Amino acid sequence: MEVENKFRKPYFTASTQLEMPQRELIYFLQAAVAKDGHFHFTAEYYATPAVTGYMVLSLNKLAGSTEDKTYWQILDNGKPIPVGVSLYVPNNGSVITFKFTSYGNDDCTKS
């Protein structure tokens, strides 16, 4: 599992290797926090027709913002995952990356 912020200061990356039975991604986040002090996250549970499950709000104290049009994109081996952390079950050997980015433009280099 990796957390990557190359979008805005303070920039950071962190990674940890987890060996767990196949479970939903939210359990891997919890295991990363328990194993490595470089991982922190906040999430909120939604139970609506459009969204059911946890939505990651912040990682390592950096939150996405509708004002800034930023969010944490979740990738599995470089490809966006099709569902959220409550439903997605990574395969063995997957590299999950949480990447701080923008949905407002294609320029991910501003600081």
Side-chain angles (χ1 to χ4, degrees), residues 20-74:
M20 295 176 50
Q22 284 189 294
R23 296 283 315 258
E24 294 80 5
L25 186 52
I26 189 73
Y27 292 100
F28 285 85
L29 276 170
Q30 292 170 332
V33 170
K35 179 181 178 181
D36 189 325
H38 294 99
F39 285 86
H40 306 278
F41 78 96
T42 60
E44 189 168 322
Y45 188 82
Y46 292 88
T48 68
V51 177
T52 300
Y54 286 99
M55 178 177 286
V56 175
L57 302 177
S58 73
L59 287 154
N60 295 0
K61 301 181 182 179
L62 179 60
S65 162
T66 54
E67 183 177 309
D68 295 341
K69 298 181 180 179
T70 54
Y71 73 107
W72 283 100
Q73 181 181 37
I74 308 169

